[in-house]
Structures are given as C-alpha cells and as structure tokens.
Amino acid sequence: MREINWLRVLRRAAYRAGMLWGRSAETGTIDALLRGARQRRSSVLVLRGEAGIGKTSLLEYARNTAGGLRTAMVRGSEPELRLAFAGLAQVVTPAQNLLATLPGVQARALRGAVALGPPDPTDRFAVYAATLGLLAQLAEDTPLLLTLDDAHVLDGPSVEAFAFTARRLVAEGIVILVATRAGQPDRGPWGDLPSLTVMGLDEESVAELIAKESGVHPARPVVKELTRSTLGNPMALREIVEKLSAAQLAGRRPLPESCAAESTASVLFARRVAELSDPALTALFLLAISPSGGLAEVLEAAEILQVPEPAFEEIEVAGFAVLADSGFQLAHPLVAAAAVAAVPPSRRRSVHRVLAAVLTEPSQADERAWHLAEATLGTDEKVAAALEQMAATARSRSGYTAAATALERAAALSTTDTTRAHRLYAAASDAHMAGQSSRARELLVAADNLAADDERLRVALAAGRSRVETFTGHPRLARQILQETAERNPHLDAVTRAELLTDAAMAALLSGEPEHALATAAEAATLAPEPVGKVALVTMLVRGITLLHLGDYVAGARLIRQCVEIATLPEESRPAVEYVILSAGALNWVEEPAAALETVTPVLTGLRAAGALGLLPFALYVASMAETQTGRISAGHAAATEAVDLAVLTGDELWQYLARSALAFVEAVRGNAESCRTQAARAIDLCEGTKDYPRDAAEALALLELGLGRYEEAIGHLLDGARRTPVSDQEALVESHPYFLEARIRSGRGLTRRMAVLVEDMAAEVQFPLRAAVASRLRGLDSEHDAFEHFETALDLHKRAMCPFELARTLLAYGERLRRARRRIQARQRLRAALEIFQRLDAQPWADRARREITATGESVRDRAAVSVLHELTPQEHQVARAVVRGATNREAATQLFLSAKTVEFHLGSVYRKLGVRTRTELAHRHPELADG
C-alpha cells in the first residue's frame, strides 16, 4: 500500500490553521487549562458547535500547544457507535502496560471491557472507576491532555466512562477537551460540565480566512454576504470559496445564487461526493462503514465488489480521506454521512454483505453481526442470533447500552412474535442496567404487546416493569401492574407468586397504601419457600415499616429487628444487597442508628471494593442519616454529599432524591439556609409529574424553618410534602409529625384534642426513648402547669437515646420555659448545656437561639470555642481523612472513594493544614472520632 499523501496532510493542516482565525477567546481558554495542568490542576471543557464550526481545529490547537504534556486522543465514528467501549479502547490499548498498576477488580474490569482480557461481568461503574485510575496513571509523571473528538458519535459506554472521569478530577494534572455537536441534551452525559459554545466567525475573521484560502482580498459586500449565508461556519466558507472565481471574491462579478443553499452543514460535502465516479463512491462508502480503521478488509471487499485501486486514489485527490499501510482516516464525519446518503439502499446492503463476509476473525464477530444486520431486508433468524451473541459479549464486558441496542435490532429481525418479545425483554434488562429507565419501560411495553400467548414471559415482563416504575417514582403504577398480573395468573407456582406479591407489597408501601401493603405482605409470607431469603426479608420489612406507619411502633420495630438478623447472614445466604441496605435504613426509623451503621458499613465496604456505584448512593444515604442522628454531623454531611455526587453520575433519580434530601437535612441541622433550600428544591424538582417520592425533602425544610423561628413556613412545607405523598389521609400524616406539632405549639395555634391524644400516646411508648422524649418535650411546650415535669421526663428518656441534636433541642426548650418562669439559674444550666452541644454539632441557628436565651438571663456568652475543627473540612476532605485514619494508604483511599491518588494526596494536604497536624499518626491521635462508625 502507498505511503501517506503528505501533500494532502499538509493541505488539511493549513486549512485547519486557517479555521483558527477569530478564535482568540477559545484558544485563550484552552491555554489557561493547559497552564493549570502543568501546575497539577485538572479540568474539563466541552466544546459545542455545529458541524464544520472548528471544534476539531481547536482540539488540534490544544495538542499542538501542549508542550510538557502527554497527549491522548479519541475520535468517535458512526460505525463504532454500537461497539461497546470502542472509544475507550483507543486510550486503553496503547496504555495497557499500566493496567497492572490498577487495583485487581478495576484492572480485570477494564481489560474485559476493551477485550484485552476475558470478559469480567461486573457493575459497569467498576469500568468507569478503572478509566479514572488509568488516566491518573498516565498523568502520574507528566500531565495529560485527552481530547475526545466527535463525542456525539462515540459509543455510549465510552461516553459514560469518560464523563464519570471528568467529574472526579481534581489534582491529577489532566485536561479533558470534548468536542460534540450543538443541541445535545442538557441532561446528557456532558450536560452539567463546563462548556463553551463555538460560534461562527465574525466578518473580520471571515475576510482573513477567505484571503488565506484564496489569495484574494475579498470585497466587503462579498464578506458580508458570505458571513450571512454561512453563519460564519469555516468549513462552509472553504467549500464555497473553492467554487468562486477571483473576480467573484473581489466583487467584480456577482455571487452565484447557489451559495446560500450549499452553505449548510448537511450539504457541505454532498456536492463533491456526488461528483465521484461510481467505483470511487463505493470505495468511499466502504471506508465510511468500516469501524476498524484498517485497510486490509476494505481492500478485500473492494476486490470482491470489483472496485479498482484508482477509485481510492480518486478519493484521496478529492481530499475525502488519507490512506496508508497503517490504515485510513476520513477528513470529516460529514464525509461518511454524505457517502451513505449518496449510495442507493440496495447497493448499501450488498456492500454490507460483502464486508461481513471478509470479517472472518473471531475478534471481528461483533462488526460482522452489524454488517449482516444492515444487509438484511426483512427478517433473518441467523442474523438475529448473531446479534444476540453480540449482546451477550457486550453484557459480559459491562457494555449494557450496546447490548440493549444489539438486542433491539435482533428483535426487529426475529421471525416470530415470541422470539421478538423475549429479545425485547432482554434488551429492557440491559437498558435498565445501563440506567436507561425510560428506554427499558418502552421495551417492556413493546414486549408485552407481543407476548400474549406466553404467560410466563408476561409475568417476567410485569416484574421487570414494576421494578422500573418503582425506582423511577411510580410505585402506585408498579403495584397495579403486579396485582393485575397475580390476578390474571392464579395458578402460578408458590415461589413465583410469592415474589410477585412481595414486590407488590413493597410498591404498595412506597405508594402510601399501608393497609394494602400489610395484607399483600402477609399473603406473600405464607408462600415463602424458606424462613430466610428475599421473600422472607422483604415481607417482614414491609410489614414492619407499615406497622410503624400505622402507629404500631412496638410490633413494627420487632419485625424490623428480625429483618436485620436475616440481612446480616453470611453473604451466600443473605438476600440481595438492596434489601440489606433497606433493613439498615429501617433501623434508623426505630431509633437504632448505631445498629444501622453496623449493618450498612460492611455493605459500603463491599460496594466500594467492587466498584458497584449503582447502589452506593442508597447505602450512603442510610449511613448519612445514621451518622447525623448519632451527632457525627461532619460524617453525615460527607456521606450525603458523596451520595449526591454519585447519584448524579449514575443517573438514578430515586437515589438522587434521597441523597439530596439527606444533604438538605444535614444543612438544616447546621442552619445553612441557602444550601438546605437549594438541595431540597432540586430534590422536589425530581418529584415532577406523577412521581411518588417520600416527604424527606419537606421534612428538611420544616426543620430549617423551626430553627429560624419561622413556624408557619414549617407547617407549609410539611403540608406541601403531604400533598406530594400519595396517601389517603394526608391530614393525619401531617398531624402526626413532631415538627408539625411543634410548629403548631410555637406559632400559638396549640394542639387540637386529637393531636394532644396522639402526643400522649407517643410519650407513653417508652420502649422508643427518642420518640417518647420528643413527645414529652412537646407536652412540656404545650403545658401550662406541669411543663417542668414533662421536660424532666424527656431528659431522662434522652439518656437512653443516641441523638445529641434532639437532646440539645429539649434542653433549649426547657431553658426557654425556665427563663420565662424567672428561674434564671436553672435556665442557664440547661441553656449552657444546649449551647455546648449545638456548637459541637455546628448547629448555628440553634446555637444562636441558645446564646440569646442565655444573654436574656443576664449572663454573657463566650465565643464559640467548642466548635469542632472537623467542620472546617470539605465533605471530600472528611472522607479522605476518615479513610487514612482507618489505615488506608493514599492509593487504597483513592480506590475506596473513586478518586485518584493525586487527588487524595491533595485533599490530605488540605486536611493537615486545616487541622494543624503533620502526619497520619498525629491526625488519628488528635481526632480519634474519625475512626468511628
């Protein structure tokens, strides 16, 4: 094969250099990012713009000016769009010698993903974490510039891996520049990353570009017209300038009327491609649909199709591609689009068929399957089976998006409705694993419409649909689907029916139908095949939580404690991890946060080790609530913040809702009003439409308003939360909430008789000391004559509960009442104790209230000396400090927290400076509380 046509390469380079006219703002931004990388600051920038606007030229500028940096590049292409991790392989394969430096789980996952090792079925996020680890290793000695060109045609799994990495960079010295088309979804993988929209050139820059390309100084009216007609698109300008004479450019002859019509991106190359000979067009189409970039198979297919070698020379001369022994590269993705559009469908199919025939290596099986699919008109079971095998390979490498796409195409090629339905069901499962809930729902509905005669499949489809609906905020619909399925299939075997009813009971609980949940769970329990396992655990959980909801705390708590016994069985015996996490969460509700932490901490460790980010936000949410309840506010804040970050990365809205609500709650305790309201608002935004999420966000807002003394606002938030909760008796739900009852009392409304009886009943449940203590405090606030007795009872109960924040709130309320009764000495004693706790917790508004009360007793208040310095740490710094105090090395901490070792080192340096320590040993000695939990 010939050597590279360097004249063509130089021409293209000069063209791209010309496209940088008028790009001083963009190149200045890139220069700043590169300077930051040299100082070990990491950054990412997404360049958005229409085709031909100059994004690729800006990436080339970055690579050409990246002196002192290592460079790596990835380029998306249409043919590789359906091949899982094809883009990622462009980085991993050249750097495969570094894979041995990654943790074992990550190395195996990454090798399997890009076919450098055996498939390693795992959570897809293990691959993403490994991508971060590999890029960090590439930048270990020398800063790194990674450019991702044509990211809009990069395969989905690779996009997710790079986007995950972009969000975890801090101090590695890595710059990631992404070029993608304008109009990509704002909520897509790149949606919330820093971005820059590349606009068209102004008239001055257009004039300079025309002069550089043509050697003619253009007339001002010509510049104005070409700028208007092309919107300043450099590629469109070049295409038009090549057709214009010197007289036309100088304004001595009129411009052709076709200029404006041929200036849009969609037809930039269409005219020139249409001028190719038929053999050259076939040759260009072969290049356009070949994903490998290698010429051997292309030339073999060309020989079969009787395409002569001069056809490839014609392509080179036209500037559509650069060919060499090592492979080929098209001048622009629009070349491929133009070639595909120019070839008639029948010829496309024949070319795909021939190319599939020459792809005979086992490693080319996926490419062969797609070419066969493109060559098929109608149905073909053999091709569908090949795509099914392709999906299995992608799935084994955690490429769930690619697997779903292959199965969806396989379903279209299937010869019977039954096989089509089965393949759509499998595609839905892969889509769900990829975090594509809407797509999974559509596939399940389509499969159900085809599975009329296959009841077993319809049962499986209903179970799958219910999971999707439950975890996307529609548990009521999920319950209806499961109930209808159970009624439609009365003769199901006991195990299948028990699992259906179990899921229906959980959905009923989440949708605010406790009585139905209780009855369904009880029926499922009678069918459970064993005393442990999913059915036993979930039915027990549902019954326990439902009884709590209905007010029977004694029976509910007993069942929840039994759940934990099942949830903490040896790994081979216990149910799925999500139910273990839910069991730990339920312990928080029955005042056992220490047991909740004990249950969820091993789960967190296991999820981190496996890189299983899918469930990690849920576990962190549970841990955050437990940490906060036990008074470790900084730890709770750090866990909630990490939960939000990871939930956003994974795209799971339910976990994001819970995580943001937990973070809002911690901020409410601290009195950070702006942050609390921001997180709660973002959580509530996720409840839009018909979604049925719990009222956690409203509770956080109510607590914030209580601390600020805005009692009517607190009541309003709780009422709003109840309206978003699908329960039959919203009024009773609100009236039972301690925040609502306190706001009623403090606002001067007082309690109704029904509310007062409810509080008395709560106070009598001394086996739940925190609940009873809060109720006794409410009685003290509402009482005219025996308030002090109620407050003393509350303090006695607090001794048995582990919740410093609520203890301090009781002390504050007691001190307020004592001061108003002119018992100042006793008031000061209670208020000082409250202030000390609030300061330790960094609960600023509550501490301010305690200070004001102390001042009102006639005593001055010292500065806030008791505040823990740990509150000065950022959430990520707190997580890093906690990991190293527990004995982790920098690299081990990085693996646990899905960061790079450089970022851990950077955060640890900040921890040392803020806390005034120099070593890990000193950190552990001064702050042993970091090792707790």
Side-chain angles (χ1 to χ4, degrees):
M1 191 62 205
R2 67 187 63 78
E3 293 297 317
I4 293 177
N5 185 331
W6 289 108
L7 181 62
R8 178 68 59 194
V9 172
L10 291 173
R11 181 181 175 188
R12 288 177 61 217
Y15 158 51
R16 285 188 171 135
M19 287 175 67
L20 288 178
W21 288 107
R23 297 299 186 205
S24 59
E26 291 88 344
T27 56
T29 299
I30 290 172
D31 290 342
L33 298 182
L34 296 177
R35 284 196 300 272
R38 295 183 185 102
Q39 297 168 12
R40 285 296 174 181
R41 294 195 304 271
S42 295
S43 55
V44 59
L45 181 66
V46 181
L47 302 173
R48 301 180 186 274
E50 64 180 42
I53 203 69
K55 304 183 297 295
T56 296
S57 296
L58 288 168
L59 297 188
E60 289 195 359
Y61 169 85
R63 288 193 293 271
N64 291 336
T65 57
L69 275 72
R70 183 196 300 266
T71 61
M73 62 182 294
V74 174
R75 190 177 189 187
S77 70
E78 285 279 1
E80 294 184 335
L81 188 57
R82 302 180 184 93
L83 302 178
F85 296 113
L88 182 58
Q90 295 177 44
V91 172
V92 177
T93 302
Q96 57 185 293
N97 61 304
L98 295 175
L99 292 177
T101 65
L102 300 180
V105 171
Q106 293 184 9
R108 289 192 299 273
L110 198 51
R111 285 194 184 96
V114 298
L116 290 175
D120 184 52
T122 185
D123 190 301
R124 60 194 165 107
F125 295 105
V127 179
Y128 304 166
T131 302
L132 169 61
L134 180 66
L135 293 182
Q137 283 299 306
L138 281 170
E140 180 70 21
D141 300 319
T142 305
L144 172 69
L145 167 66
L146 171 64
T147 60
L148 308 179
D149 202 0
D150 297 318
H152 54 283
V153 287
L154 195 61
D155 66 278
S158 293
V159 167
E160 292 168 2
F162 289 127
F164 173 90
T165 296
R167 288 173 172 83
R168 306 300 285 176
L169 297 176
V170 176
E172 301 80 2
I174 296 175
V175 174
I176 299 181
L177 296 180
V178 182
T180 189
R181 290 278 174 86
Q184 297 297 300
D186 290 339
R187 290 191 175 184
W190 313 114
D192 58 345
L193 290 169
S195 67
L196 187 157
T197 299
V198 184
M199 306 299 292
L201 301 178
D202 59 22
E203 289 185 10
E204 182 180 350
S205 300
V206 167
E208 292 175 335
L209 189 149
I210 292 172
K212 185 175 180 64
E213 288 291 322
S214 66
V216 176
H217 184 72
R220 179 56 57 186
V222 171
V223 172
K224 186 179 290 292
E225 173 57 25
L226 292 182
T227 303
R228 184 197 65 78
S229 63
T230 64
L231 300 178
N233 185 301
M235 184 179 287
L237 282 164
R238 180 176 180 273
E239 292 295 306
I240 291 175
V241 167
E242 282 190 352
K243 297 190 305 179
L244 299 179
S245 67
Q248 287 172 318
L249 289 172
R252 297 191 298 272
R253 295 189 63 184
L255 296 173
E257 294 182 0
S258 61
C259 274
E262 294 180 353
S263 67
T264 59
S266 60
V267 293
L268 286 175
F269 291 100
R271 175 184 59 82
R272 289 171 55 203
V273 167
E275 293 172 355
L276 291 173
S277 65
D278 275 354
L281 179 59
T282 300
L284 184 60
F285 180 68
L286 267 170
L287 296 176
I289 64 174
S290 176
S292 62
L295 273 177
E297 293 83 1
V298 170
L299 294 177
E300 186 178 351
E303 185 176 352
I304 296 172
L305 291 165
Q306 299 182 339
V307 176
E309 187 169 330
F312 289 94
E313 295 176 358
E314 184 179 344
I315 292 171
E316 277 196 295
V317 171
F320 290 135
V322 175
L323 310 179
D325 288 337
S326 58
F328 67 88
Q329 184 174 0
L330 296 179
H332 194 277
L334 289 176
V335 171
V340 171
V343 174
S346 59
R347 200 195 314 180
R348 282 184 225 157
R349 289 192 292 273
S350 65
V351 173
H352 275 292
R353 191 173 297 109
V354 169
L355 194 51
V358 303
L359 294 170
T360 57
E361 295 296 324
S363 62
Q364 298 170 323
D366 290 352
E367 294 179 41
R368 181 169 61 252
W370 270 116
H371 285 300
L372 287 172
E374 293 298 316
T376 301
L377 187 63
T379 60
D380 189 314
E381 187 56 37
K382 288 185 178 179
V383 177
L387 288 171
E388 197 168 30
Q389 181 56 49
M390 176 185 176
T393 301
R395 187 183 307 114
S396 71
R397 293 172 177 160
S398 305
Y400 299 108
T401 301
T405 301
L407 284 165
E408 197 169 356
R409 178 64 175 139
L413 296 174
S414 301
T415 54
T416 68
D417 283 350
T418 300
T419 54
R420 188 172 294 117
H422 276 277
R423 284 166 177 154
L424 288 173
Y425 171 56
S429 298
D430 287 321
H432 187 54
M433 288 293 292
Q436 299 174 341
S437 299
S438 296
R439 183 183 184 189
R441 181 186 292 111
E442 292 170 2
L443 291 167
L444 289 165
V445 171
D448 191 56
N449 291 334
L450 296 169
D453 299 328
D454 191 334
E455 284 302 323
R456 183 167 291 279
L457 176 58
R458 294 198 72 189
V459 169
L461 288 166
R465 175 84 184 279
S466 75
R467 284 191 293 273
V468 170
E469 299 296 355
T470 296
F471 286 97
T472 54
H474 302 97
R476 185 179 292 264
L477 177 58
R479 195 267 301 162
Q480 292 171 353
I481 291 169
L482 291 164
Q483 184 176 353
E484 290 172 3
T485 302
E487 291 173 353
R488 193 174 61 236
N489 298 276
H491 304 300
L492 285 172
D493 63 272
V495 173
T496 303
R497 187 172 182 81
E499 291 185 347
L500 273 180
L501 291 171
T502 297
D503 290 341
M506 181 62 73
L509 176 64
L510 294 174
S511 64
E513 301 169 287
E515 292 84 359
H516 187 94
L518 200 59
T520 307
E523 183 181 354
T526 64
L527 299 170
E530 53 183 344
V532 296
K534 173 190 170 182
V535 172
L537 175 64
V538 177
T539 53
M540 201 177 295
L541 260 179
V542 169
R543 289 159 60 204
I545 295 171
T546 303
L547 288 170
L548 289 181
H549 184 89
L550 294 174
D552 190 346
Y553 270 70
V554 176
R558 184 176 62 250
L559 286 170
I560 287 170
R561 289 168 182 141
Q562 290 175 12
C563 290
V564 177
E565 296 175 7
I566 299 175
T568 53
L569 286 170
E571 187 172 354
E572 64 276 6
S573 304
R574 66 172 177 247
V577 67
E578 57 263 39
Y579 297 111
V580 179
I581 299 170
L582 185 57
S583 300
L587 286 171
N588 282 329
W589 303 332
V590 295
E591 303 178 16
E592 296 194 22
L597 278 175
E598 187 178 350
T599 302
V600 81
T601 297
V603 174
L604 281 168
T605 302
L607 292 174
R608 290 189 189 282
L613 272 71
L615 285 171
L616 192 54
F618 185 27
L620 285 165
Y621 157 76
V622 171
S624 172
M625 299 305 289
E627 298 276 22
T628 302
Q629 188 170 336
T630 55
R632 291 192 284 265
I633 304 298
S634 294
H637 187 256
T641 301
E642 186 183 9
V644 170
D645 291 343
L646 296 180
V648 170
L649 286 174
T650 60
D652 193 301
E653 291 190 356
L654 176 57
W655 299 156
Q656 190 180 152
Y657 174 84
L658 293 174
R660 289 195 184 281
S661 296
L663 185 52
F665 185 83
V666 179
E667 298 291 26
V669 171
R670 286 180 155 180
N672 294 332
E674 182 178 355
S675 179
C676 174
R677 289 177 179 135
T678 297
Q679 294 300 331
R682 290 178 179 174
I684 291 169
D685 283 346
L686 295 169
C687 300
E688 60 189 8
T690 59
K691 292 181 179 176
D692 304 329
Y693 287 146
R695 58 185 182 181
D696 296 48
E699 293 178 356
L701 289 170
L703 178 61
L704 175 71
E705 302 297 359
L706 282 175
L708 297 174
R710 294 157 48 94
Y711 305 119
E712 293 297 337
E713 287 81 357
I715 291 171
H717 286 308
L718 290 170
L719 290 172
D720 288 343
R723 281 190 284 270
R724 289 191 299 269
T725 304
V727 294
S728 55
D729 191 350
Q730 295 177 350
E731 183 180 350
L733 179 68
V734 174
E735 289 183 357
S736 65
H737 200 291
Y739 295 168
F740 176 85
L741 297 168
E742 181 175 348
R744 287 270 307 195
I745 296 168
R746 289 186 178 274
S747 67
R749 295 192 194 183
L751 302 182
T752 65
R753 178 57 187 162
R754 174 181 171 182
M755 296 176 192
V757 170
L758 177 63
V759 171
E760 289 176 10
D761 292 342
M762 290 167 56
E765 293 172 344
V766 293
Q767 63 270 60
F768 297 99
L770 180 59
R771 176 179 168 84
V774 170
S776 293
R777 181 177 73 216
L778 290 172
R779 297 185 75 188
L781 286 170
D782 193 47
S783 176
E784 291 294 329
H785 305 293
D786 49 1
F788 302 144
E789 180 182 340
H790 293 309
F791 281 124
E792 288 293 341
T793 299
L795 291 179
D796 286 341
L797 289 164
H798 276 299
K799 295 174 184 177
R800 296 166 44 206
M802 187 183 292
C803 190
F805 178 64
E806 290 297 337
L807 167 60
R809 293 225 296 135
T810 295
L811 287 165
L812 174 60
Y814 194 1
E816 289 171 337
R817 175 57 70 92
L818 286 167
R819 184 187 65 79
R820 286 197 295 273
R822 301 182 182 277
R823 297 167 66 170
R824 294 182 178 181
I825 295 176
Q826 291 175 295
R828 288 170 190 162
Q829 181 184 3
R830 302 291 186 267
L831 293 169
R832 284 195 212 104
L835 177 60
E836 181 183 349
I837 296 172
F838 287 139
Q839 288 184 152
R840 191 171 70 246
L841 300 178
D842 197 28
Q844 184 60 41
W846 299 95
D848 289 343
R849 286 176 59 167
R851 271 194 212 90
R852 288 194 298 270
E853 289 292 325
I854 293 173
T855 301
T857 68
E859 182 177 85
S860 59
V861 183
R862 286 186 250 169
D863 292 338
R864 300 171 66 239
V867 178
S868 171
V869 292
L870 293 181
H871 295 314
E872 300 299 321
L873 303 181
T874 68
Q876 213 161 71
E877 288 168 356
H878 190 282
Q879 294 283 57
V880 167
R882 201 172 208 190
V884 300
V885 163
R886 291 174 173 180
T889 64
N890 284 8
R891 192 167 296 279
E892 289 168 344
T895 301
Q896 292 172 21
L897 301 175
F898 308 102
L899 301 170
S900 70
K902 290 283 187 185
T903 292
V904 168
E905 181 182 343
F906 173 80
H907 285 320
L908 195 54
S910 296
V911 169
Y912 287 171
R913 285 192 299 275
K914 289 180 179 181
L915 302 187
V917 299
R918 295 182 180 181
T919 66
R920 295 164 184 256
T921 302
E922 188 178 357
L923 176 64
H925 178 71
R926 287 199 189 179
H927 299 282
E929 66 270 31
L930 285 170
D932 294 341

